[in-house]
Amino acid sequence: MTRADRSTSIPKPALALVAVPGRKLATLELAREIEQREFAGIYCASFGDAMGLSHSLAHVTERIPFGTSIANIYMRHVTDYAASAAMIHEISGGRFRFGVGVSHGPMNRRVGIEGGKPLSDMREFVAKLRATPRVGELPPVVMAGLRKKMVALSAELSEGVVFANASRSHTKESLSVISEAQRNDPNFFIGNMIPICISDDVEAAAAVNRRSLTMYLGLPNYRNYWKEAGYVEEMEAVEAALEARERERLPELMTDRWLSDCSLYGPGRRVLEGLEAWYEAGLRTPILVPSSAVGNQMKAFQETFELFDRLD
């Protein structure tokens, strides 16, 4: 049996949501539809108010797991996060996962935040979160991971790890710092946010994902991760373009090999085959981040629904 034949039986992934200004009520209606269609979960991206959207999801959904992916630990006081996370966890009936991360230096500085050392700051945050009194039961904590030290810390301190824009070919290596018992434990969350664009026009879909990923090329930690994953030549070319203030060149420096390794795009069959390869690489919960070559976020979700309707 070929991979293309097997792809009709792959598990449904989770989907990422962002409450776009002007469409927040429509986003909640979309969440209800995602639940009705029995996707594996809903995870709220850090753009916008992930905690606020999670509060709403606790009320408008009944069965589907959901969580933040991620909440920036520097954006609120830890005791405030503890109270909010416990509230969402309780009113959702235990369906909430509290995904947290340190974000990135350039992004933090834009909002006036100077973070410290990521590993020690995350260790301190989780300890203080769990020591916060009188908030009630806390949800499982899932830590944002990228490079191996943070992935290993997630295995030590939390109930899961979530990547974003990870390289599929490097996933087994990234997960090698997690014990086999945890990798095989269904209660230990292993997720990754994956940009996806479904279109029979492969070049148009690729162009959409290149636009989606352009911002991440400006973040040093991502470039260092992708170098570790085997894309040294590509990342050095990107760094040279950034140094020369030639950001307009970044899309042409995103090779097809790199783009296919960290995103999904093209016709439905190709996307499904790529998704199956993610499962085979050790990813338990792919979190698709839909974009469309011909429309907005709502159009992208409709295209995603239609793709998975074929599997029902």
Side-chain angles (χ1 to χ4, degrees):
M1 183 181 291
T2 66
R3 174 178 286 174
D5 294 327
R6 297 196 310 272
S7 66
T8 57
S9 62
I10 59 176
K12 278 188 178 178
L15 298 178
L17 272 188
V18 176
V20 177
R23 292 206 300 267
K24 294 178 181 178
L25 289 175
T27 299
L28 298 183
E29 288 297 327
L30 184 59
R32 292 189 184 99
E33 184 171 3
I34 292 169
E35 178 176 63
Q36 180 183 1
R37 290 174 175 273
E38 298 184 334
F39 282 87
I42 299 172
Y43 292 92
C44 307
S46 56
F47 300 102
D49 183 1
M51 290 295 283
L53 180 53
S54 293
H55 272 285
S56 294
L57 292 179
H59 290 284
V60 303
T61 63
E62 298 177 353
R63 304 175 306 280
I64 193 168
F66 66 94
T68 52
S69 184
I70 48 83
N72 184 339
I73 67 170
Y74 299 118
M75 293 294 284
R76 292 195 196 180
H77 194 279
V78 63
T79 57
D80 185 46
Y81 267 138
S84 292
M87 175 74 170
I88 300 169
H89 180 61
E90 182 172 333
I91 63 177
S92 69
R95 293 181 291 127
F96 178 61
R97 288 186 175 94
F98 187 32
V100 296
V102 296
S103 189
H104 297 269
M107 297 177 73
N108 286 332
R109 285 190 287 275
R110 286 192 202 115
V111 294
I113 294 170
E114 281 295 337
K117 295 181 178 180
L119 294 171
S120 58
D121 283 2
M122 182 60 78
R123 184 180 292 277
E124 181 181 11
F125 176 87
V126 172
K128 288 183 175 179
L129 180 83
R130 290 176 171 156
T132 303
R134 297 183 300 278
V135 295
E137 183 180 349
L138 288 168
V141 174
V142 174
M143 287 172 44
L146 198 57
R147 303 186 72 188
K148 285 184 177 179
K149 288 183 179 180
M150 191 63 82
V151 176
L153 190 67
S154 74
E156 177 190 344
L157 296 182
S158 73
E159 287 76 46
V161 60
V162 62
F163 300 85
N165 314 310
S167 290
R168 186 170 61 216
S169 63
H170 194 59
T171 298
K172 288 184 179 179
E173 180 65 22
S174 294
L175 296 178
S176 68
V177 297
I178 299 175
S179 72
E180 183 178 0
Q182 283 178 304
R183 294 198 305 271
N184 294 326
D185 181 356
N187 293 316
F188 188 82
F189 186 84
I190 301 175
N192 178 42
M193 307 272 280
I194 308 171
I196 176 175
C197 183
I198 303 163
S199 174
D200 289 337
D201 187 337
V202 175
E203 292 306 315
V208 169
N209 282 0
R210 284 186 169 95
R211 286 196 295 273
S212 297
L213 288 165
T214 294
M215 180 195 73
Y216 296 95
L217 291 176
L219 302 173
N221 200 36
Y222 262 107
R223 294 197 302 271
N224 289 334
Y225 163 77
W226 282 317
K227 287 178 183 178
E228 180 184 284
Y231 296 98
V232 176
E233 183 177 344
E234 288 90 339
M235 293 306 112
E236 287 182 347
V238 165
E239 288 170 343
L242 291 172
E243 180 68 22
R245 300 182 181 276
E246 296 174 345
R247 290 187 64 87
E248 71 281 358
R249 292 187 56 230
L250 295 186
E252 70 186 58
L253 300 176
M254 300 182 202
T255 62
D256 289 342
R257 183 176 75 97
W258 173 83
L259 190 69
S260 296
D261 202 24
C262 58
S263 74
L264 296 169
Y265 61 93
R269 177 61 63 183
R270 170 176 167 155
V271 167
L272 291 175
E273 290 175 359
L275 179 59
E276 184 181 26
W278 271 110
Y279 283 113
E280 292 173 352
L283 188 63
R284 186 172 296 120
T285 306
I287 305 168
L288 304 188
V289 186
S291 295
S292 174
V294 293
N296 62 13
Q297 181 193 42
M298 296 302 177
K299 175 65 173 175
F301 274 94
Q302 191 58 45
E303 292 166 346
T304 303
F305 293 156
E306 290 171 359
L307 174 63
F308 287 94
D309 282 346
R310 304 177 197 174
L311 307 185
D312 291 336

